[in-house]
Amino acid sequence: MSDLTTKTAAEIAALVAGGETSAVEVTQAHLDRIAAVDDQVHAFLHVDTEGALAAARAVDERRAAGEPLGPLAGVPVAVKDVLATKGVPTTVGSKILEGWRPPYDATIVERLRAAGTVMLGKTNMDEFAMGSSTEYSAYGPTRNPWDLNRIPGGSGGGSSAALAAYEAPLAIGSDTGGSIRQPGAVTGTVGAKPTYGGTSRYGLVAFSSSLDTPGPCARTVLDAALLHEAIGGHDPRDSTSIPQPVPDVVAAAKLGATGDLTGVKLGIVTEFAGEGAEPGVLAVFREAVDALTKLGAEIVEVSCPHFTYALPAYYLIAPSECSSNLARFDGVRFGLRVGDDGSRSLEEVMSLTREAGFGPEVKRRIMLGTYALSSGYYDAYYGQAQKVRTLITRDFTAAFEQVDALISPTTPFVAFPIGARTSDPYQMYLADLFTIPTNLYGGPGISVPCGLSDGLPVGLQVMAPTMADDRMYRVAAALESAVGTFTPPAL
Amino acid sequence: MTTTLPSYDDVVARYEPVIGLETHVELGTRTKMFCGCPTDFGGEPNTRVCPVCLGLPGSLPVVNKAAVEATIRIGLALNCSIADWCRFARKNYFYPDMPKNFQISQYDEPLCVDGYLDVEVNGETVRIGIERVHMEEDTGKTLHVGGATGRIHGATESLVDYNRAGIPLVEIVTKPIPGTGELAPEVARAYVTELRDVIRSLGVSDVRMEEGSLRCDVNTSLNLPGQEWGTRTETKNVNSLRSVERAVRSEMLRQASVLDAGGRITQETRHFQEDTGDTRPGRSKETATDYRYFPEPDLVPIAPDPAWVAELKAALPELPRVHRRRLQEQWGLSDLDMQSVLNAGAVELIEQTVAAGATPAAARKWWLGELSRRANETGVELVDVGATPEQVAELQGLVDAGKLNDKLARTVLEGVVAGEGSPTEVMTSRNLEVVSDTGALTAAVDEAIAANPDIADKIRSGKVAAAGALVGAVMKTTRGQADAKTVRELILARLGA
């Protein structure tokens, strides 16, 4: 492993800016690392070697010309395959988009380029971001660098595994029900879901529009904050984007790193601190709570009674939106087309294309959502779920009148063995039990490594009020300063 | 079908019709409803497109504020309440010319609700209730090639042009209109006409039915007096004002014949046939798609600022009814005369002709006379007859200047309508100008006098009225191109009368 691949993004940017290394060198080191380990990990669906080196050269040229460089110039980044990248394959982990090269860049991808980061390639994910283990990728599962027989979480298992395997110092994920935070927790990395509307969805292939939130993944809280700052902020092409500046997450991460949480009041969610989580996870979580107390935080218990309805509400809202969002994949304009041999009707071709192109979990959710939105069932399912969503939002609002931020384990269990939960969707859905309420509310949440249980990483989740993303970075950075970072066994 | 239809008088004597109209108007905004693509008509297929209107994965809609403004203005002109908060909704169904396989529309939360439009039929005012006015996006266009029929069945290839996809549409839905009896077809036509004029006066659409920027679906049902309303059918493909009237009438006749035979009316979509004037069944609504409407999560709700709405209301132009009353006064027309101008669809044409320099009387004479006759003969709307108000004014100018007489002017108009050029150009190229050169005329007059000595004698003896016969002779030899007044003066001068 090259020395450059173990550095943080902040360190790499400083080395590049100071001329101690070049962006090309850094990029090549990561490309070499990918070549060496990705056969085992399978974090990437596509590695854009030429594009990455060209972008790196451009950064080096800008530096040579004395042009100002951004805080992440020359830092490689891996992008979840859910974001449209101009001319670079974008599959969303699905056969139905195999071979599709978008004619445009997602806003976040544009901002990554503008910030001088170097896109290494596209990372693996559960098909259409539906899953918690990356096992539902149509291109095979990603493996957890901590134990190659275990899942790296999902849907963004590729992004988090790439970080844990030192294939990239930064990655982009998207979080609809926990797809950034849960993989972060089980790979011992940091994953932040920004406030909904705080990062642009333009170019993010939609799963559930009212929940999807792209965000940063990194190995340290400061790196996540730096990436958050680079990609966040208002985008006029996304109507749900919030027209306000990004909270100062970098300053908050730096403040937290001083290890002082005096005056900060944190709430443990009663409903998530008892049953439902593995004993090992709860034990590590309690140790982390002690650490936070030692840093000066005041800890209280806060009840959020409706959080227990979050999972069922989520599994009505997200499938409903997905059933509509995924209608456009019909073989007419892009991606896979099956059965167009001149003998079949258009309807048959659409139907065959969707049958062949979508995997079982995607079909399950399309059917669930189609049913939930049908005339006669709408009020009982979709309508009722929206009411639950309102109640969950009220729980959060009431909680944030008492405390600055809420904390919980990120996920009820550590990385499970590949294949252990694929036969029972409900067992799989439970992985997001603790992360889903935040998505329904729209606030920010971050998962930060807080310890190991049987040698596998456990994450602590910090949840903050909408547009108070800085608060969660401060708490996460403080905890990180106390418990340190966690390195998986060598591959 | 060979069933003999009952007579219309018989139908309206026994049944009461209820009609309703759903009208789609393409807005004339510069860009599309949810993206920045241009809306101009006639580009090469798939050149006015982007990731958004093609529905590419990851793309997102952004509402065109100009379209919202136009919709609010339409709503205000139709006396609607403007919602202080409304949302878009997704209407889900699969169709290849609909890029996302859902249409962004409005469902239970439209922008404008509960208004009315007053229309005049046979001098009576009928108030048409407006249920709602809402915004949505248009679909692309599919062209089926290879089949014998040009329709989807039997075609070997389907080509889709997405230039139209995402063009802003406004849908205007009336409340059910009962109680119009035998006038139902005329009421339907008068409503669409009035609606078109209102929207045109707002300058938000060119509202041309034949180009599809105004599209109309007609709902019709019949019931026995005192009974509940009958099952309605929805007739599509109604592409002209005349067709609106014909569609209602033919659907009333068809439904009556079904009911008379003891049958039931099927709730269905039917298609108006321009050639035969009847309607044919389309897809049945009883087995229709469940559109699974739900609020569009990619767009935030629209909450128009009341101050802005008040501003838009204050700035509304004079509406057609008011405008027409003013014109009637200016033109000095009786109610009956104004009604015939209205029926001919000539108000604006006459107004523009007057603006181009003709007197109201002359403008009305041309549009209601010669040009209406031609429009009827060729089965087109008056506005499409082939002459512009400017040309009509120019023609009248030539008459007033004595260069054309009435008969020659009609011939010139024929040339104008045939596309031969402006009235002056046609007059010159066809050599139709009145001969007023007295030198040339004198010869013709002398010739006529010589050929008719007895008539000449009568005139010499003071019977001036006999001059008419000689004038006719001169006109004949000059192929009508002489100015009759000049000829008469010349004859009298030559004969010393």
Side-chain angles (χ1 to χ4, degrees):
Chain A
M1 199 185 327
S2 147
D3 204 33
L4 285 171
T5 59
T6 59
K7 301 223 174 297
T8 67
E11 288 164 353
I12 291 171
L15 291 174
V16 171
E20 288 161 70
T21 186
S22 68
V24 168
E25 254 182 291
V26 172
T27 302
Q28 191 60 56
H30 285 91
L31 290 170
D32 291 346
R33 175 69 180 168
I34 292 168
V37 304
D38 208 51
D39 279 354
Q40 300 171 65
V41 180
H42 192 223
F44 284 86
L45 291 176
H46 178 81
V47 179
D48 186 17
T49 306
E50 279 175 31
L53 288 170
R57 274 194 297 275
V59 170
D60 289 336
E61 280 161 19
R62 286 225 310 274
R63 189 188 167 274
E67 289 173 35
L69 298 177
L72 289 175
V75 181
V77 57
V79 175
K80 188 177 180 183
D81 208 24
V82 71
L83 287 169
T85 43
K86 189 173 181 175
V88 177
T90 300
T91 68
V92 206
S94 180
K95 286 287 176 202
I96 211 157
L97 269 188
E98 192 163 20
W100 185 55
R101 288 172 188 259
Y104 77 107
D105 271 332
T107 295
I108 285 189
V109 173
E110 275 183 359
R111 289 185 183 177
L112 286 174
R113 289 193 206 285
T117 67
V118 173
M119 189 180 80
L120 294 170
K122 309 294 289 290
T123 58
N124 200 9
M125 56 187 287
D126 287 296
E127 184 178 2
F128 279 97
M130 298 174 196
S132 307
S133 68
T134 320
E135 290 167 288
Y136 293 136
S137 167
Y139 303 97
T142 295
R143 291 166 184 276
N144 193 326
W146 286 81
D147 176 347
L148 293 173
N149 293 315
R150 289 177 186 266
I151 58 100
S155 64
S159 282
S160 296
L163 298 172
Y166 297 97
E167 294 172 277
L170 293 177
I172 297 292
S174 69
D175 193 312
T176 306
S179 287
I180 287 176
R181 289 162 290 161
Q182 184 259 0
V186 301
T187 58
T189 58
V190 177
K193 172 218 171 296
T195 296
Y196 177 84
T199 42
S200 169
R201 289 188 297 116
Y202 189 78
L204 174 84
V205 180
F207 158 21
S208 178
S209 312
S210 74
L211 301 164
D212 295 341
T213 313
C217 309
R219 285 192 297 265
T220 69
V221 175
L222 177 62
D223 280 2
L226 288 166
L227 185 53
H228 189 145
E229 190 178 55
I231 61 171
H234 183 240
D235 177 11
R237 288 181 295 187
D238 174 359
S239 309
T240 60
S241 167
I242 298 171
Q244 282 176 40
V246 190
D248 196 344
V249 291
V250 173
K254 287 178 176 166
L255 174 63
T258 63
D260 183 7
L261 286 180
T262 311
V264 175
K265 195 168 174 184
L266 300 176
I268 296 176
V269 180
T270 311
E271 287 74 12
F272 290 167
E275 289 160 41
E278 287 176 350
V281 168
L282 283 177
V284 174
F285 174 67
R286 283 191 208 104
E287 282 168 30
V289 171
D290 289 344
L292 289 167
T293 312
K294 281 187 195 132
L295 297 171
E298 183 190 345
I299 312 276
V300 296
E301 257 200 34
V302 178
S303 173
C304 297
H306 299 98
F307 279 20
T308 46
Y309 303 110
L311 194 72
Y314 174 87
Y315 276 100
L316 289 167
I317 292 168
S320 294
E321 292 182 5
C322 108
S323 71
S324 172
N325 282 331
L326 269 56
R328 72 188 64 192
F329 299 93
D330 58 8
V332 174
R333 282 147 298 129
F334 45 78
L336 186 71
R337 181 186 293 177
V338 176
D340 183 17
D341 58 7
S343 76
R344 293 188 174 87
S345 74
L346 192 61
E347 201 169 292
E348 285 169 322
V349 170
M350 280 184 175
S351 185
L352 287 171
T353 300
R354 291 168 67 80
E355 190 181 328
F358 290 138
E361 181 62 21
V362 171
K363 285 179 187 161
R364 175 160 36 237
R365 297 200 198 188
I366 289 174
M367 284 188 279
L368 269 174
T370 304
Y371 187 81
L373 289 177
S374 330
S375 147
Y377 297 100
Y378 180 92
D379 289 340
Y381 294 120
Y382 185 80
Q384 199 69 10
Q386 290 292 2
K387 287 179 191 163
V388 170
R389 190 171 186 174
T390 303
L391 293 174
I392 286 168
T393 299
R394 283 186 198 157
D395 278 1
F396 271 109
T397 311
F400 291 132
E401 279 166 14
Q402 304 167 56
V403 296
D404 297 310
L406 292 170
I407 55 172
S408 76
T410 306
T411 176
F413 29 80
V414 294
F416 49 85
I418 288 176
R421 288 174 191 257
T422 39
S423 57
D424 185 347
Y426 184 67
Q427 287 304 313
M428 188 71 88
Y429 297 169
L430 283 177
D432 294 329
L433 191 62
F434 301 155
T435 45
I436 279 173
T438 304
N439 295 87
L440 292 173
Y441 159 59
I446 191 169
S447 176
V448 58
C450 63
L452 301 179
S453 167
D454 289 335
L456 291 170
V458 173
L460 178 135
Q461 174 180 226
V462 186
M463 296 167 272
T466 49
M467 289 309 277
D469 305 46
D470 46 340
R471 266 188 228 178
M472 71 181 186
Y473 276 100
R474 182 181 173 194
V475 176
L479 182 64
E480 182 183 61
S481 75
V483 303
T485 55
F486 300 85
T487 307
L491 282 169
Chain B
M1 200 152 58
T2 51
T3 322
T4 320
L5 293 174
S7 82
Y8 185 73
D9 288 345
D10 179 37
V11 169
V12 296
R14 291 184 293 116
Y15 293 103
E16 291 177 348
V18 179
I19 55 172
L21 295 112
E22 291 175 21
T23 312
H24 285 93
V25 176
E26 259 182 15
L27 292 180
T29 50
R30 203 171 49 77
T31 57
K32 290 186 178 180
M33 186 74 219
F34 298 115
C35 65
C37 287
T39 52
D40 46 341
F41 196 71
E44 283 293 301
N46 299 313
T47 54
R48 312 276 200 262
V49 293
C50 73
V52 177
C53 56
L54 282 177
L56 293 190
S59 64
L60 293 172
V62 174
V63 176
N64 180 343
K65 195 185 170 191
V68 176
E69 179 175 316
T71 308
I72 292 176
R73 293 179 68 225
I74 292 172
L76 289 170
L78 298 177
N79 306 292
C80 288
S81 315
I82 308 304
D84 48 18
W85 189 92
C86 74
R87 280 194 289 196
F88 285 95
R90 289 192 187 172
K91 182 180 184 181
N92 295 286
Y93 62 102
F94 281 83
Y95 209 76
D97 60 19
M98 194 163 59
K100 301 181 292 292
N101 284 320
F102 62 78
Q103 181 191 32
I104 306 180
S105 178
Q106 293 194 286
Y107 180 49
D108 50 356
E109 297 159 318
L111 181 54
C112 320
V113 292
D114 198 21
Y116 62 85
L117 179 64
D118 286 336
V119 303
E120 269 163 53
V121 180
N122 287 359
E124 299 272 319
T125 299
V126 180
R127 177 159 290 189
I128 309 291
I130 303 292
E131 179 82 38
R132 56 190 284 150
V133 178
H134 77 242
M135 299 171 280
E136 57 187 33
E137 56 178 339
D138 211 342
T139 61
K141 275 184 188 165
T142 313
L143 181 68
H144 303 290
V145 255
T149 58
R151 299 182 63 179
I152 191 161
H153 297 292
T156 54
E157 267 183 295
S158 297
L159 304 175
V160 196
D161 175 8
Y162 293 102
N163 282 355
R164 200 182 66 177
I167 300 241
L169 284 183
V170 169
E171 182 173 336
I172 300 144
V173 184
T174 68
K175 295 176 179 170
I177 310 162
T180 55
E182 59 177 352
L183 288 178
E186 277 120 310
V187 169
R189 177 180 181 150
Y191 164 75
V192 179
T193 310
E194 187 68 20
L195 181 66
R196 182 197 63 183
D197 292 350
V198 166
I199 292 170
R200 190 184 288 147
S201 77
L202 296 173
V204 295
S205 168
D206 58 5
V207 278
R208 292 179 73 88
M209 286 189 93
E210 62 286 3
E211 277 177 18
S213 57
L214 176 73
R215 291 171 238 159
C216 188
D217 303 337
V218 182
N219 292 328
T220 314
S221 73
L222 290 184
N223 59 272
L224 290 170
Q227 306 269 309
E228 272 183 35
W229 291 350
T231 304
R232 71 189 160 85
T233 59
E234 182 180 11
T235 305
K236 290 186 182 288
N237 196 34
V238 187
N239 297 326
S240 69
L241 293 173
R242 191 163 155 262
S243 299
V244 171
E245 191 172 338
R246 288 170 79 207
V248 173
R249 196 182 173 91
S250 86
E251 194 47 22
M252 284 167 66
L253 292 174
R254 186 193 69 82
Q255 291 187 13
S257 75
V258 172
L259 295 171
D260 286 350
R264 281 179 62 236
I265 302 300
T266 313
Q267 186 174 338
E268 62 182 353
T269 299
R270 301 181 66 85
H271 292 275
F272 182 68
Q273 311 296 310
E274 197 69 54
D275 47 352
T276 58
D278 59 10
T279 68
R280 307 254 170 87
R283 66 168 192 268
S284 165
K285 273 233 163 169
E286 280 177 336
T287 58
T289 339
D290 176 356
Y291 292 122
R292 291 176 285 116
Y293 282 102
F294 74 105
E296 166 58 273
D298 283 331
L299 292 170
V300 289
I302 293 177
D305 179 0
W308 180 47
V309 173
E311 236 171 72
L312 293 177
K313 187 168 187 173
L316 283 182
E318 184 182 49
L319 292 176
R321 253 168 73 88
V322 181
H323 185 61
R324 280 198 306 267
R325 239 173 271 139
R326 193 164 55 77
L327 287 180
Q328 185 182 348
E329 219 164 279
Q330 279 175 9
W331 296 347
L333 296 185
S334 68
D335 285 355
L336 199 68
D337 285 346
M338 192 63 190
Q339 192 58 46
S340 55
V341 170
L342 278 174
N343 292 346
V347 178
E348 229 172 295
L349 294 167
I350 293 174
E351 194 185 1
Q352 287 164 8
T353 308
V354 171
T359 63
R364 190 161 69 95
K365 183 192 80 181
W366 285 114
W367 286 109
L368 263 56
E370 188 66 11
L371 288 165
S372 282
R373 191 179 59 74
R374 286 182 160 278
N376 279 335
E377 273 172 15
T378 47
V380 298
E381 301 287 341
L382 192 53
V383 69
D384 297 317
V385 77
T388 65
E390 291 70 26
Q391 289 168 336
V392 172
E394 185 185 333
L395 183 72
Q396 182 60 38
L398 294 172
V399 173
D400 293 344
K403 291 188 176 178
L404 292 177
N405 58 31
D406 199 59
K407 183 163 171 287
L408 287 170
R410 281 203 296 273
T411 311
V412 168
L413 188 58
E414 193 182 279
V416 170
V417 167
E420 292 171 22
S422 72
T424 309
E425 284 163 1
V426 174
M427 180 179 78
T428 310
S429 66
R430 288 203 187 184
N431 193 23
L432 291 172
E433 188 170 352
V434 164
V435 181
S436 50
D437 165 3
T438 43
L441 279 182
T442 309
V445 166
D446 286 348
E447 198 183 309
I449 292 172
N452 300 281
D454 36 340
I455 297 175
D457 284 344
K458 278 186 188 169
I459 298 168
R460 282 194 195 94
S461 66
K463 290 188 177 169
V464 180
L470 285 184
V471 172
V474 173
M475 294 306 280
K476 202 172 175 186
T477 55
T478 57
R479 293 185 300 119
Q481 270 173 268
D483 177 47
K485 196 163 156 252
T486 313
V487 171
R488 187 181 164 85
E489 278 163 10
L490 269 178
I491 291 167
L492 297 180
R494 297 299 272 186
L495 298 174

